[in-house]
Amino acid sequence: MTRKFFGTDGIRGRTNKDVMTSAVAMRVGQAAGAHFERGTHRHRVVIGKDTRLSGYMMESALVAGFTSVGMDVIMTGPLPTPAIAMLTREMRADLGVMISASHNRFEDNGIKLFGPDGFKLSDEDELAIEARLDQEPVLADASDIGRARRIDDAQGRYIHAAKQSISSDVRLDGLKVVVDCAHGAAYQVAPAVIWELGAEVISLGVTPNGTNINDGVGSTALDAIKAKVIETGAHIGIALDGDADRLIVVDEKGQTVDGDQIMALIATRMAEKGQLTGGGVVATVMSNLGLERYLESQGLTLERTKVGDRYVLERMKEGGFNVGGEQSGHMILMDYGTTGDGTVAALRVLSSLVQSDKPASKLLHLFDPVPQLLKNVRYEGGAPLENAAVKQAIADAEAELEGAGRLVIRASGTEPLIRVMAEGDDAAQVERVVDAVCDAVRAAA
């Protein structure tokens, strides 16, 4: 079945366009509600959101959809995506919903769905919901319409859970930490977690107004946090994205520390303590070859999946791994959650920092990444990767890199982009093959 609504991370698009309208959101609520109405208990869904202006509209539409098919709704207000996954399990809900377009600008929004186990939905569940979206919903009788309520303690529940992810004897006293919340979902909880553990917190990106999410702040716009770390003499900077499932770190020198280095640190520390399971780390095809070489030097493995944290999670579950993630900053620590959690990953980094005698620039530089280049080519329609000239350009690039590097070509699951990535020991060669493929895609687009 061809997917019309679901991409690699739920449903996402420009607000009030195509799939991201209130009408579609209501249908999603009806379809997902009907799909998860199993058993005779009173059915329940937890709905959270980030700080986008359109979040109110999408929340109201989803509530209408779920209640119309007889499902009760619990609304949390702005909370990180991992908090919604946690609360879905904790509150014995049948379904969890996060309204967010993650690191995208405010004009976009999205709907992420979690099953009762707190994990993102399987392909089978998504396809079943897609099929129901084309069917007339079976509406509940008037006496069976669902009820909706907001809960006031959701933030406190998440803050408590996040702090439980590190040892109770760890304090962050003496650390000065810049925490950039991207004007997003973690703007209250992330600074609170780190402050409660004793650190001096300098907050950034914590004044959302509905339209400034990810605007010049957060894990995809690091200039502001780099400047603030240098200006304040902070020991480290923590940058989250709009829904706080990603983490990028800035060291005391203002240098970027990506997800590969963070995974290397977390996995190494856990392996030293006998806490790492699966014998290594799960990451995607985008992770740097330097990470793979470093893990091998430590007697650990790197298993690669397709891009998308859902695929990382699937492999982690299959292989019994408890650490996985993406170079872009999704950090999945299976012992503490069922999806990426930037705040929890940040606490692992901060814990390691206070327990070492090293500055962040030393602690978080465990390997030298090989030259890697990623470029995006936007297209208006069609299927550029099916073009004969593009296929030939890709084949030529792969032949040139054979034995000396890697080439990864993929279509974005959330935007009309072709992503072209190459890496290898020869930076000039890497740039040459990436440009050749990009030129071919542009010509075909």
Side-chain angles (χ1 to χ4, degrees), residues 100-164:
S100 175
S102 190
H103 57 283
N104 290 21
R105 286 177 55 85
F106 87 94
E107 294 94 343
D108 295 341
N109 215 331
I111 300 171
K112 301 181 183 183
L113 301 177
F114 295 92
D117 56 1
F119 287 99
K120 290 181 180 179
L121 299 191
S122 65
D123 288 336
E124 291 74 20
D125 280 326
E126 288 185 349
L127 288 172
I129 293 170
E130 284 251 10
R132 288 180 181 272
L133 287 169
D134 291 326
Q135 303 169 7
E136 279 296 313
V138 178
L139 301 179
D141 292 336
S143 60
D144 294 326
I145 290 172
R147 299 175 182 272
R149 60 176 292 190
R150 292 188 181 274
I151 57 173
D152 299 324
D153 63 343
Q155 290 185 4
R157 294 187 190 204
Y158 174 70
I159 289 171
H160 176 74
K163 290 192 297 183
Q164 295 303 302

Coordinates of all heavy atoms in Angstrom, one line a residue, residues 100-164:
S100 N 4.0 17.8 16.8 CA 5.3 18.5 16.6 C 5.9 18.2 15.2 O 5.7 17.1 14.7 CB 6.3 18.1 17.7 OG 7.6 18.7 17.4
A101 N 6.6 19.2 14.7 CA 7.4 19.0 13.5 C 8.9 19.0 13.8 O 9.7 19.4 13.0 CB 7.0 20.0 12.4
S102 N 9.2 18.7 15.1 CA 10.6 18.5 15.5 C 11.4 19.7 15.3 O 11.2 20.8 15.8 CB 11.2 17.3 14.8 OG 12.4 16.9 15.3
H103 N 12.4 19.6 14.4 CA 13.4 20.7 14.2 C 12.9 21.7 13.1 O 13.6 22.6 12.8 CB 14.8 20.1 13.8 CG 14.7 19.2 12.6 ND1 14.2 18.0 12.6 CD2 15.1 19.5 11.3 CE1 14.3 17.4 11.4 NE2 14.8 18.3 10.6
N104 N 11.8 21.4 12.4 CA 11.3 22.3 11.4 C 10.8 23.7 11.9 O 10.5 23.8 13.1 CB 10.1 21.7 10.6 CG 10.6 20.5 9.8 OD1 11.6 19.9 10.0 ND2 9.8 20.1 8.8
R105 N 10.7 24.6 11.0 CA 10.2 25.9 11.4 C 8.7 25.9 11.8 O 8.0 24.9 11.6 CB 10.4 27.0 10.3 CG 11.8 27.4 10.1 CD 12.0 28.3 8.9 NE 11.1 29.5 9.0 CZ 11.4 30.6 9.7 NH1 12.6 30.7 10.3 NH2 10.5 31.6 9.8
F106 N 8.2 27.0 12.4 CA 6.8 27.0 13.0 C 5.8 26.7 11.9 O 4.7 26.3 12.3 CB 6.6 28.3 13.7 CG 6.0 29.4 12.8 CD1 4.7 29.6 12.7 CD2 6.9 30.2 12.1 CE1 4.2 30.6 11.9 CE2 6.4 31.2 11.3 CZ 5.0 31.4 11.2
E107 N 6.0 27.1 10.7 CA 5.0 26.9 9.6 C 4.6 25.4 9.4 O 3.5 25.2 9.0 CB 5.5 27.5 8.3 CG 5.7 29.0 8.3 CD 7.1 29.4 8.6 OE1 7.9 28.5 9.1 OE2 7.5 30.5 8.3
D108 N 5.5 24.5 9.8 CA 5.2 23.1 9.7 C 4.7 22.5 11.0 O 4.9 23.1 12.1 CB 6.5 22.3 9.3 CG 7.0 22.7 7.9 OD1 6.2 23.2 7.1 OD2 8.2 22.4 7.6
N109 N 4.0 21.4 10.9 CA 3.6 20.7 12.1 C 3.5 19.2 11.8 O 3.7 18.8 10.6 CB 2.3 21.2 12.7 CG 2.4 21.1 14.3 OD1 3.0 20.3 14.8 ND2 1.6 22.0 14.9
G110 N 3.4 18.4 12.8 CA 3.3 17.0 12.6 C 2.6 16.3 13.7 O 2.3 16.8 14.7
I111 N 2.3 15.0 13.4 CA 1.6 14.1 14.4 C 2.4 12.8 14.5 O 2.6 12.1 13.5 CB 0.2 13.8 13.9 CG1 -0.6 15.1 13.7 CG2 -0.5 12.8 14.9 CD1 -2.0 14.8 13.1
K112 N 3.0 12.6 15.7 CA 3.7 11.4 16.0 C 2.8 10.5 16.9 O 2.3 11.0 17.9 CB 5.0 11.7 16.7 CG 6.0 12.6 15.9 CD 7.3 12.8 16.7 CE 8.2 13.7 15.9 NZ 9.5 13.9 16.7
L113 N 2.8 9.3 16.6 CA 1.9 8.3 17.3 C 2.7 7.3 18.0 O 3.7 6.7 17.5 CB 0.9 7.7 16.4 CG -0.1 8.6 15.6 CD1 -0.9 7.7 14.7 CD2 -0.9 9.4 16.6
F114 N 2.4 7.0 19.3 CA 3.0 6.0 20.1 C 2.0 4.9 20.5 O 0.8 5.3 20.9 CB 3.6 6.6 21.4 CG 4.8 7.5 21.1 CD1 4.5 8.9 21.0 CD2 6.1 7.0 20.9 CE1 5.6 9.8 20.7 CE2 7.1 7.9 20.7 CZ 6.9 9.3 20.6
G115 N 2.4 3.7 20.5 CA 1.5 2.6 20.9 C 1.5 2.5 22.5 O 2.2 3.3 23.2
P116 N 0.7 1.6 23.0 CA 0.6 1.5 24.5 C 1.9 1.2 25.2 O 2.0 1.4 26.4 CB -0.5 0.4 24.7 CG -0.5 -0.3 23.4 CD -0.2 0.7 22.3
D117 N 2.9 0.6 24.4 CA 4.2 0.3 25.0 C 5.1 1.5 25.0 O 6.3 1.4 25.5 CB 4.8 -0.9 24.3 CG 5.0 -0.6 22.8 OD1 4.6 0.5 22.3 OD2 5.4 -1.6 22.1
G118 N 4.7 2.6 24.4 CA 5.5 3.8 24.4 C 6.4 3.9 23.2 O 7.1 4.9 23.0
F119 N 6.4 2.9 22.4 CA 7.2 2.9 21.1 C 6.4 3.5 20.0 O 5.2 3.4 19.9 CB 7.7 1.5 20.8 CG 8.7 0.9 21.7 CD1 8.4 0.1 22.7 CD2 10.1 1.3 21.5 CE1 9.3 -0.4 23.6 CE2 11.0 0.8 22.4 CZ 10.7 -0.1 23.4
K120 N 7.2 4.1 19.0 CA 6.5 4.6 17.8 C 5.9 3.4 17.1 O 6.3 2.3 17.2 CB 7.5 5.3 16.9 CG 8.0 6.6 17.5 CD 9.0 7.3 16.6 CE 9.4 8.6 17.2 NZ 10.4 9.4 16.4
L121 N 4.8 3.7 16.3 CA 4.0 2.7 15.7 C 4.8 1.9 14.7 O 5.7 2.4 14.0 CB 2.8 3.3 15.0 CG 1.8 4.0 15.9 CD1 0.5 4.3 15.1 CD2 1.5 3.2 17.2
S122 N 4.5 0.6 14.5 CA 5.1 -0.2 13.5 C 4.5 0.2 12.1 O 3.5 0.9 12.0 CB 4.7 -1.7 13.8 OG 3.3 -1.9 13.6
D123 N 5.2 -0.3 11.1 CA 4.7 -0.1 9.7 C 3.3 -0.7 9.6 O 2.4 -0.1 8.9 CB 5.6 -0.7 8.7 CG 6.9 0.0 8.6 OD1 7.0 1.2 8.9 OD2 7.9 -0.6 8.1
E124 N 3.0 -1.8 10.2 CA 1.7 -2.4 10.1 C 0.6 -1.6 10.7 O -0.4 -1.4 10.1 CB 1.8 -3.8 10.8 CG 2.6 -4.9 10.1 CD 4.1 -4.6 10.3 OE1 4.5 -3.9 11.2 OE2 4.9 -5.2 9.4
D125 N 0.9 -1.0 11.9 CA -0.1 -0.1 12.5 C -0.3 1.1 11.7 O -1.5 1.5 11.5 CB 0.4 0.2 13.9 CG 0.1 -0.8 14.9 OD1 -0.9 -1.6 14.8 OD2 0.9 -1.0 15.9
E126 N 0.7 1.7 11.1 CA 0.6 2.9 10.3 C -0.2 2.6 9.1 O -1.1 3.4 8.7 CB 1.9 3.5 10.0 CG 2.6 4.1 11.2 CD 3.9 4.8 10.8 OE1 4.4 4.6 9.7 OE2 4.5 5.6 11.6
L127 N 0.0 1.5 8.4 CA -0.7 1.1 7.2 C -2.2 0.9 7.5 O -3.1 1.2 6.8 CB -0.1 -0.1 6.6 CG 1.3 0.2 5.9 CD1 1.9 -1.1 5.4 CD2 1.1 1.1 4.7
A128 N -2.4 0.3 8.7 CA -3.8 0.0 9.1 C -4.6 1.3 9.3 O -5.7 1.5 8.9 CB -3.9 -0.9 10.3
I129 N -3.9 2.3 9.9 CA -4.5 3.6 10.2 C -4.7 4.3 8.9 O -5.8 4.9 8.6 CB -3.7 4.4 11.2 CG1 -3.7 3.8 12.5 CG2 -4.2 5.9 11.3 CD1 -2.7 4.4 13.5
E130 N -3.7 4.2 8.0 CA -3.9 4.8 6.6 C -5.1 4.3 5.9 O -5.9 5.1 5.3 CB -2.7 4.5 5.8 CG -1.4 5.3 6.1 CD -1.1 6.3 5.0 OE1 -1.9 6.5 4.1 OE2 0.0 6.9 5.1
A131 N -5.4 3.0 6.0 CA -6.5 2.4 5.4 C -7.8 2.9 6.0 O -8.8 3.2 5.2 CB -6.5 0.9 5.5
R132 N -7.9 3.1 7.3 CA -9.1 3.6 7.9 C -9.3 5.1 7.5 O -10.5 5.6 7.6 CB -8.9 3.5 9.4 CG -9.0 2.1 10.0 CD -8.9 2.1 11.5 NE -9.0 0.8 12.1 CZ -10.1 0.2 12.5 NH1 -11.2 0.8 12.3 NH2 -10.1 -1.0 13.0
L133 N -8.3 5.8 7.2 CA -8.5 7.3 6.8 C -9.4 7.5 5.6 O -10.0 8.5 5.4 CB -7.1 7.9 6.6 CG -6.3 8.2 7.9 CD1 -4.9 8.6 7.5 CD2 -7.0 9.2 8.8
D134 N -9.5 6.4 4.8 CA -10.3 6.5 3.6 C -11.7 6.0 3.8 O -12.5 5.9 2.9 CB -9.6 5.8 2.4 CG -8.4 6.5 1.9 OD1 -8.4 7.7 2.0 OD2 -7.4 5.8 1.5
Q135 N -12.0 5.5 5.1 CA -13.3 5.0 5.4 C -14.1 5.9 6.3 O -13.5 6.7 7.0 CB -13.1 3.6 6.1 CG -12.3 2.6 5.3 CD -11.9 1.4 6.2 OE1 -12.3 1.3 7.3 NE2 -11.0 0.5 5.7
E136 N -15.4 5.8 6.2 CA -16.2 6.6 7.1 C -16.1 6.1 8.5 O -16.1 4.8 8.8 CB -17.7 6.5 6.7 CG -18.1 7.4 5.5 CD -18.0 8.8 5.9 OE1 -18.4 9.2 7.0 OE2 -17.4 9.6 5.1
P137 N -15.8 6.9 9.5 CA -15.6 6.5 10.9 C -16.9 6.0 11.5 O -18.0 6.5 11.1 CB -15.1 7.7 11.6 CG -15.7 8.9 10.8 CD -15.7 8.4 9.4
V138 N -16.8 5.0 12.4 CA -18.0 4.6 13.2 C -18.0 5.4 14.4 O -17.2 5.3 15.3 CB -17.8 3.1 13.5 CG1 -19.0 2.7 14.4 CG2 -17.7 2.3 12.2
L139 N -18.9 6.4 14.5 CA -19.0 7.3 15.6 C -19.7 6.7 16.8 O -20.6 5.8 16.7 CB -19.8 8.6 15.1 CG -19.2 9.3 14.0 CD1 -20.0 10.5 13.6 CD2 -17.7 9.7 14.2
A140 N -19.3 7.1 18.0 CA -19.8 6.6 19.2 C -21.2 7.1 19.4 O -21.6 8.2 18.9 CB -18.9 7.0 20.4
D141 N -22.0 6.3 20.1 CA -23.3 6.8 20.5 C -23.2 8.0 21.5 O -22.1 8.2 22.1 CB -24.1 5.7 21.3 CG -24.5 4.5 20.4 OD1 -24.6 4.8 19.1 OD2 -24.7 3.4 20.9
A142 N -24.2 8.8 21.5 CA -24.1 10.0 22.3 C -23.6 9.8 23.8 O -22.9 10.6 24.3 CB -25.5 10.8 22.3
S143 N -24.1 8.7 24.3 CA -23.7 8.4 25.7 C -22.3 7.9 25.9 O -21.7 7.8 27.0 CB -24.7 7.4 26.3 OG -24.7 6.2 25.6
D144 N -21.7 7.5 24.7 CA -20.3 6.9 24.8 C -19.2 7.8 24.2 O -18.1 7.4 24.1 CB -20.3 5.6 24.0 CG -21.2 4.5 24.6 OD1 -21.3 4.5 25.8 OD2 -21.8 3.8 23.8
I145 N -19.6 9.1 23.9 CA -18.6 10.0 23.5 C -17.5 10.2 24.5 O -17.8 10.2 25.7 CB -19.2 11.4 23.1 CG1 -20.1 11.2 21.8 CG2 -18.2 12.4 22.9 CD1 -20.9 12.4 21.5
G146 N -16.2 10.3 24.1 CA -15.1 10.4 25.1 C -15.1 11.7 25.8 O -15.7 12.7 25.4
R147 N -14.4 11.7 26.9 CA -14.2 12.9 27.7 C -12.8 13.4 27.6 O -11.9 12.6 27.4 CB -14.5 12.6 29.2 CG -15.9 12.1 29.5 CD -16.1 11.8 30.9 NE -17.5 11.3 31.2 CZ -18.5 12.0 31.5 NH1 -18.3 13.4 31.6 NH2 -19.7 11.5 31.7
A148 N -12.6 14.7 27.7 CA -11.2 15.2 27.6 C -10.9 16.1 28.9 O -11.8 16.8 29.4 CB -11.1 16.1 26.4
R149 N -9.6 15.9 29.3 CA -9.2 16.7 30.5 C -7.7 17.0 30.3 O -7.0 16.3 29.7 CB -9.5 15.9 31.8 CG -8.7 14.6 31.8 CD -8.9 13.9 33.2 NE -8.3 14.6 34.3 CZ -8.1 14.1 35.5 NH1 -8.6 12.9 35.8 NH2 -7.5 14.8 36.4
R150 N -7.3 18.1 31.0 CA -5.9 18.5 31.1 C -5.4 18.0 32.4 O -6.1 18.1 33.4 CB -5.7 20.0 30.9 CG -6.0 20.4 29.4 CD -5.6 21.9 29.2 NE -6.0 22.3 27.8 CZ -5.2 22.1 26.8 NH1 -4.0 21.5 27.0 NH2 -5.6 22.5 25.6
I151 N -4.1 17.6 32.4 CA -3.5 17.3 33.7 C -2.4 18.4 34.0 O -1.7 18.9 33.1 CB -2.9 15.9 33.7 CG1 -1.8 15.7 32.6 CG2 -4.0 14.9 33.6 CD1 -1.1 14.4 32.7
D152 N -2.2 18.7 35.3 CA -1.4 19.8 35.7 C 0.0 19.3 36.1 O 0.9 20.1 36.2 CB -2.0 20.5 36.8 CG -3.3 21.2 36.5 OD1 -3.4 21.6 35.3 OD2 -4.2 21.2 37.3
D153 N 0.2 18.0 36.4 CA 1.5 17.6 36.9 C 2.4 16.8 35.9 O 3.3 16.2 36.3 CB 1.2 16.7 38.1 CG 0.5 15.4 37.8 OD1 -0.1 15.3 36.7 OD2 0.5 14.5 38.6
A154 N 2.1 17.0 34.6 CA 2.8 16.2 33.6 C 4.3 16.7 33.6 O 5.2 15.8 33.5 CB 2.2 16.4 32.3
Q155 N 4.6 17.9 33.8 CA 6.0 18.4 33.8 C 6.7 17.8 34.9 O 7.9 17.3 34.8 CB 6.0 19.9 33.9 CG 5.5 20.6 32.6 CD 5.7 22.1 32.7 OE1 6.3 22.7 33.7 NE2 5.2 22.9 31.7
G156 N 6.1 17.8 36.1 CA 6.8 17.3 37.3 C 7.1 15.8 37.1 O 8.2 15.3 37.6
R157 N 6.2 15.1 36.5 CA 6.4 13.6 36.3 C 7.6 13.4 35.4 O 8.4 12.5 35.7 CB 5.2 13.0 35.7 CG 3.9 13.0 36.5 CD 2.8 12.2 35.9 NE 1.5 12.3 36.5 CZ 0.6 11.5 36.5 NH1 0.7 10.4 35.8 NH2 -0.6 11.7 37.1
Y158 N 7.7 14.2 34.4 CA 8.8 14.0 33.5 C 10.2 14.4 34.1 O 11.2 13.7 34.0 CB 8.6 14.8 32.2 CG 9.9 14.7 31.3 CD1 10.2 13.5 30.6 CD2 10.7 15.8 31.1 CE1 11.3 13.4 29.8 CE2 11.8 15.7 30.3 CZ 12.1 14.6 29.7 OH 13.3 14.5 28.9
I159 N 10.2 15.5 34.8 CA 11.4 16.0 35.5 C 11.9 14.9 36.4 O 13.1 14.6 36.5 CB 11.1 17.3 36.2 CG1 10.9 18.5 35.2 CG2 12.2 17.6 37.2 CD1 10.4 19.8 35.9
H160 N 11.0 14.3 37.2 CA 11.4 13.3 38.1 C 12.0 12.1 37.4 O 13.0 11.5 37.8 CB 10.2 12.8 38.9 CG 10.4 11.6 39.9 ND1 11.1 11.8 41.0 CD2 10.1 10.3 39.7 CE1 11.2 10.6 41.6 NE2 10.6 9.7 40.8
A161 N 11.3 11.7 36.3 CA 11.8 10.5 35.5 C 13.2 10.8 34.9 O 14.0 9.9 34.9 CB 10.8 10.1 34.4
A162 N 13.4 12.0 34.4 CA 14.6 12.3 33.8 C 15.8 12.2 34.8 O 16.9 11.7 34.6 CB 14.6 13.7 33.2
K163 N 15.5 12.8 36.0 CA 16.6 12.7 37.0 C 16.9 11.3 37.5 O 18.0 11.0 37.9 CB 16.2 13.6 38.2 CG 16.1 15.1 37.9 CD 16.0 15.9 39.2 CE 14.7 15.7 39.9 NZ 14.5 16.6 41.1
Q164 N 15.9 10.4 37.4 CA 16.2 9.0 37.8 C 17.1 8.3 36.8 O 17.5 7.2 37.1 CB 14.8 8.3 37.9 CG 13.9 8.8 39.0 CD 14.5 8.8 40.4 OE1 15.0 7.7 40.8 NE2 14.6 9.9 41.0

